[in-house]
Amino acid sequence: MEQLGQSLVKQIDAHAEVIIVDDANNPTEIEGVQYYKMEQHGGAAAARNFGAKKAKGEWLIFLDDDVMVGSHWYAALVLALTNHNQCDMLWGAIAYESTSPYFPMRIVENHGAQWPMSAHMMIKSTVFQTVGGFDPLFADYHNEDTELAIRIASLGYHWSRLPRLQVTHRHDIWKGEELVASSKHAAVWPILRKKYPKTWNMFKVSTFGPILFPLDYLYMLFFPILVFPLFIRYIFLNRNDPYSGFAIFFIKWPLWFILRRGWIWYESMRVNV
């Protein structure tokens, strides 16, 4: 966060402000940055909504604390917003810091700005306030940004992608508890299908008829065949990595897929879709 804040302060002009909302942690103050600390941990959605209420500009630019911007990012952003002023919501691309990532790295990227991710998202302030901001109910799925994007688009607002505007996501490593928590990510789709029956799949998640993410079943079906070569590859790539281990491998293969399918099934039954 400190590196991101310093980089932004160096680039912005008098028409912009940098706001950092600390989600009840211990921030490092940076000159030229407005700091706000949440009284208690509320998650990313609550922190973003809090920061949006403090902002005074026409556009709200959301960045996560684990991304980095290039030295010319702000100038490119201003040009993009000028050229797309008829839009109400935009989002840019995300590249992963490592050029050759492999598990258990946590790979967060969005090449070509294919998906609306709040790690690099721009929304007009009036639109954000009108629709009610991020819904904290979706924070448990780490998908509050997808829900907001679908909600904004379903209400008739205009949106577009900015594939040439890019930030970089810092190197990260999966831990067991994070992997388990991530298995719930896809379970948001039955809920969104129920809530937005006409627009829920406007960004094209993988489906086969009513089945969400059908490749999961193939992975689980062929796991007995694939487990040995996958395990050998994992050991070879991570032989000097102190963060890897047998537990991490088997949490993902196949426990993560089983949990993921279980969550999707549970939410499908709960909302009756």
Side-chain angles (χ1 to χ4, degrees), residues 206-225:
S206 176
T207 60
F208 182 74
I211 301 174
L212 290 161
F213 308 101
L215 283 179
D216 287 0
Y217 292 105
L218 286 178
Y219 292 141
M220 291 188 292
L221 178 65
F222 288 101
F223 175 73
I225 300 172

Side-chain angles (χ1 to χ4, degrees), residues 123-133 148 151-152 155 157:
I123 304 173
K124 282 187 176 177
S125 181
T126 52
V127 173
F128 186 86
Q129 302 301 342
T130 298
V131 303
L148 177 60
R151 189 183 347 141
I152 288 175
L155 291 172
Y157 292 104

